[in-house]
Amino acid sequence: MQPTARVRRCDRSSIRVLFDLAQRTDGDLVRLEVGEPDFDTPAHVKEAAVAAIERGETNYTSNAGLPALRTAIADTLAREYDHSYGADDVLVTTGGMEALHLACLAVLDPGDDLLIPSPGWPNYWTQARLADATPVEVPMAFPYDLDADRLIDRMNSDTGAVMLCSPSNPTGRVFDDEAVARVIEAARDHDAYVIADEVYAALTYDRDPTGMATLVDDSAHVITIGSCSKAYAMTGWRVGWLATESSVVDEATKIRESTTASTPTPSQHAALAALEGPRTPVREMQTAFRERRDYVTDRLAELDSVDAPRSQGAFYAFLDPEGYDDSMALAKNLVTEAGVVLAPGSGFGDAGAGKLRLSYANSLDRLETGLDRLDAYL
């Protein structure tokens, strides 16, 4: 007998479909589909976690996180991105993923709209549905810069929040400050929030990174999301944060009492070491990613069959191959026939149909091989 209780179902990520296909495929595959740094976690970060374990720091922390880590996050946001949050405005989360989920649960009412400029990260759609809200895709035109007018025109009394990710996953574009400020001000006028996904902010290549909440005088309706995963090569440690006015932090903290309770304590000590420790490993990773960005940009410019906007941040390029409408079919054929794995653009919304996302979180040698294979196939 089938259960009668309602079961919430979410769509399976097309990126995961390609990942699983690659795992089942024999041969020498060039893996350019996953958004994960190919560097090891810095040694001093790992040592801090081991030392915490040896000291017996393995119990629960407060739901909001270690006070020292909340302070370090606030200090880092002030130093790196001009934010003015205090420790009480910060909630330590189990990765940026939980921070985004908690933000949606805290500020979206059932039936609210979450506006998502697309192409956009597919988890935004799922997180809206998990909050009983409605994801509303607002397509951006090539080269996928933020069209403030298009987004503002879509706002109405049903708008609960707007999701902005800069640098963007999947396009690598960095949104214009003036456009972001206009969207924030319009959202405030509609009594809606802007959820500012800044997990890639440290990987901004052509300008200094700026926190989105710093672009307006009144930032009470902005929720800043960050993470140690990308900048510090700590994806598996699962440490992120949510920073905003303390009343929203309090609501999000109450929610996580019934979900994760708190972020693993050794991981919090590792994150503290990452934020307060030497910057050399971070700068080395940033330099490597910038060099790869430049190489990928130059190679793509040589391909007559591919159009792609210049990546300005993160570690992604978003490709528009000429003559293809079904990005999933194309991505699967590239795996089985060309030995290169890219993420299908259809997974990033209707605006991604026929496109491919390339992650340059891989060595220059493998990027060269992968782009050679892509060029030959197309």
Side-chain angles (χ1 to χ4, degrees):
M1 179 180 294
Q2 293 294 319
T4 57
R6 181 169 69 108
V7 177
R8 190 183 302 276
R9 292 180 174 84
C10 299
D11 297 333
R12 188 163 184 257
S13 168
S14 60
I15 302 170
R16 175 58 60 179
V17 171
L18 263 293
F19 180 89
D20 291 345
L21 174 62
Q23 293 292 93
R24 299 192 305 268
T25 302
D26 295 329
D28 174 33
L29 295 180
V30 180
R31 303 291 295 270
L32 305 178
E33 85 280 17
V34 177
E36 181 174 37
D38 58 319
F39 298 94
D40 191 15
T41 301
H44 72 279
V45 175
K46 294 187 287 187
E47 291 164 1
V50 172
I53 293 170
E54 291 178 341
R55 291 195 305 270
E57 300 275 3
T58 57
N59 299 317
Y60 292 126
T61 68
S62 69
N63 296 124
L66 289 169
L69 179 55
R70 298 174 74 190
T71 298
I73 291 168
D75 291 346
T76 299
L77 292 176
R79 181 181 66 248
E80 302 291 338
Y81 313 117
D82 297 326
H83 284 296
S84 57
Y85 297 118
D88 290 341
D89 303 322
V90 174
L91 169 63
V92 180
T93 61
T94 307
M97 195 96 69
E98 188 196 20
L100 290 162
H101 182 45
L102 290 173
C104 289
L105 290 173
V107 304
L108 292 174
D109 289 326
D112 278 354
D113 289 343
L114 174 65
L115 303 190
I116 306 169
S118 69
W121 192 43
N123 285 34
Y124 301 145
W125 277 258
T126 302
Q127 288 158 347
R129 295 188 184 104
L130 289 172
D132 279 328
T134 303
V136 177
E137 178 178 354
V138 184
M140 300 290 111
F142 185 93
Y144 314 116
D145 293 325
L146 183 64
D147 186 333
D149 289 331
R150 183 175 296 186
L151 202 53
I152 292 169
D153 287 345
R154 187 58 186 79
M155 294 182 190
N156 55 40
S157 59
D158 292 329
T159 304
V162 180
M163 186 71 71
L164 296 182
C165 179
S166 181
S168 166
N169 175 12
T171 69
R173 300 295 285 178
V174 175
F175 293 156
D176 176 74
D177 287 353
E178 182 179 353
V180 171
R182 289 184 58 208
V183 170
I184 293 173
E185 290 167 352
R188 181 193 61 212
D189 292 342
H190 285 82
D191 197 26
Y193 283 84
V194 168
I195 302 174
D197 185 348
E198 298 180 4
V199 299
Y200 295 99
L203 301 176
T204 302
Y205 306 121
D206 300 326
R207 48 170 276 191
D208 291 334
T210 302
M212 289 186 245
T214 68
L215 301 175
V216 293
D217 293 332
D218 180 5
S219 61
H221 280 66
V222 181
I223 302 173
T224 298
I225 306 298
S227 170
C228 288
S229 292
K230 313 301 181 180
Y232 302 96
M234 293 178 64
T235 53
W237 296 83
R238 309 312 301 137
V239 182
W241 55 81
L242 176 158
T244 186
E245 58 175 349
S246 57
S247 62
V248 177
V249 170
D250 289 344
E251 289 303 310
T253 304
K254 293 174 188 175
I255 295 169
R256 82 184 308 240
E257 285 184 45
S258 301
T259 56
T260 55
S262 61
T263 302
T265 305
S267 290
Q268 292 193 58
H269 284 282
L272 183 61
L275 295 174
E276 294 186 338
R279 311 303 296 167
T280 301
V282 177
R283 286 194 290 268
E284 289 175 348
M285 285 187 279
Q286 290 170 334
T287 298
F289 282 130
R290 182 181 288 107
E291 182 181 8
R292 296 171 186 181
R293 187 281 306 264
D294 292 342
Y295 173 76
V296 168
T297 299
D298 291 343
R299 281 296 308 272
L300 291 175
E302 297 171 356
L303 303 184
D304 294 332
S305 56
V306 175
D307 200 3
R310 177 180 176 83
S311 173
Q312 301 166 318
F315 34 65
Y316 304 115
F318 204 61
L319 286 54
D320 184 1
E322 183 179 335
Y324 292 92
D325 296 322
D326 189 338
S327 55
M328 176 61 82
L330 173 59
K332 287 181 176 180
N333 288 342
L334 283 169
V335 173
T336 57
E337 299 178 26
V340 59
V341 192
L342 295 95
S346 56
F348 303 97
D350 293 341
K355 316 296 193 300
L356 297 167
R357 188 193 72 176
L358 180 152
S359 168
Y360 50 85
N362 211 324
S363 68
L364 285 172
D365 287 344
R366 296 303 282 169
L367 288 168
E368 180 179 9
T369 301
L371 286 166
D372 286 346
R373 294 177 181 182
L374 176 67
D375 185 19
Y377 180 88
L378 296 178

